[in-house]
Amino acid sequence: MNLSQELLSFDANIPRNQIGRIERGEISTSITTLQKICKALNIEIKDLF
């Protein structure tokens, strides 16, 4: 999937810098945030792991 951090952050209603920090492993995130990301990506949370 070719999706920018900016578009993902818009679709998931999460700040773009937070998406980047999650990707780089700089921060942990909540299940709620993961659910928002999964909904924006149209995947199940298990697919992240």
Side-chain angles (χ1 to χ4, degrees):
M1 178 178 288
N2 190 13
L3 185 65
S4 69
Q5 287 181 357
E6 186 174 356
L7 186 55
L8 177 57
S9 70
F10 178 79
D11 289 347
N13 196 28
I14 299 168
R16 190 205 51 78
N17 66 336
Q18 185 176 352
I19 298 289
R21 293 179 71 202
I22 293 167
E23 283 185 349
R24 292 188 300 276
E26 295 176 356
I27 60 171
S28 295
T29 192
S30 68
I31 293 295
T32 302
T33 300
L34 289 178
Q35 288 172 326
K36 289 179 181 182
I37 292 169
C38 287
K39 185 175 180 182
L41 294 173
N42 197 31
I43 62 171
E44 294 186 33
I45 200 165
K46 67 179 177 140
D47 297 328
L48 290 177
F49 302 98

